[in-house]
Amino acid sequence: MPAPEPWRPVFEYKYGVPVGGLLGIGFATHPDSGHDLVMVVSNDGHGLFDAVTGEKIARDRDPDPEDSTPDAAADLTCPGLGPIAGSRVHIAGLFGGGLHATTGDGWTLEAVTPAWPNDRVLLSSDGGLPHSGPHGEQWWHIFHSSYSELRAFGFSPSGETIAVATSSDVSLWTCRPEHTNGSDVQR
């Protein structure tokens, strides 16, 4: 089921963007635009996506082996790239860690597994399980990982982005208005 307003998918593909061998994801903030950024760590290197436009803004196919996976650092971080080079990004996924499960304005994300091993990600506005309202009104089944292993899911620290990562792809939703004519539409 599609996520409710104000959420909109960032990528046009049903299951997000393919990322083979995805190990984990993390969030950062673009220093110029203020957009949420999603850093993806995979067996094929590191990538950085703008979580409002979906644009891949940086790629490192050959990161330093000492920093190529988050388990190399005690705090599960990897070095930033592109506009966030020089910083470290906390990565949640195969090696542990976590992302925000709630937002300040009352949204909640949770994973359930009614048909193991296929995880489902639920978005709710009623505080989470047990849900007080009907499906499609206060909670929504927004992602079903029936083809790949769920690695991480959660909100960005700003609460403006939802990310779901599996071993093969990353899906994003944002509540920021669409990017038009070089500037963000004001809410």
Side-chain angles (χ1 to χ4, degrees):
M1 165 174 271
E5 290 289 332
W7 301 102
R8 66 172 177 83
V10 173
F11 302 119
E12 61 185 73
Y13 312 107
K14 181 178 180 180
Y15 292 107
V17 171
V19 180
L22 190 146
L23 301 173
I25 61 172
F27 286 106
T29 302
H30 196 291
D32 298 327
S33 70
H35 288 186
D36 286 336
L37 301 175
V38 176
M39 183 167 163
V40 177
V41 175
S42 75
N43 290 326
D44 293 326
H46 300 169
L48 191 66
F49 291 91
D50 183 304
V52 175
T53 67
E55 176 187 7
K56 186 187 300 181
I57 57 175
R59 179 84 164 96
D60 184 355
R61 294 185 187 281
D62 192 27
D64 182 343
E66 292 181 17
D67 280 329
S68 64
T69 60
D71 63 323
D75 61 354
L76 297 175
T77 61
C78 285
L81 62 158
I84 57 168
S87 64
R88 301 213 37 107
V89 178
H90 291 274
I91 304 296
L94 183 63
F95 300 109
L99 302 173
H100 294 264
T102 60
T103 66
D105 58 353
W107 293 99
T108 301
L109 281 174
E110 56 208 340
V112 296
T113 313
W116 186 86
N118 301 324
D119 294 297
R120 298 172 187 185
V121 177
L122 307 179
L123 171 67
S124 67
S125 61
D126 66 0
L129 288 171
H131 295 290
S132 60
H135 180 254
E137 290 182 23
Q138 292 186 319
W139 66 279
W140 300 263
H141 170 197
I142 63 167
F143 191 88
H144 191 156
S145 67
S146 59
Y147 54 90
S148 295
E149 182 180 312
L150 185 65
R151 292 280 195 247
F153 67 95
F155 294 102
S156 62
S158 72
E160 294 180 343
T161 302
I162 298 170
V164 177
T166 71
S167 57
S168 64
D169 52 58
V170 63
S171 297
L172 302 175
W173 293 261
T174 183
C175 64
R176 281 209 51 173
E178 291 193 54
H179 192 74
T180 58
N181 299 335
S183 64
D184 290 333
V185 176
Q186 297 299 312
R187 320 190 237 183

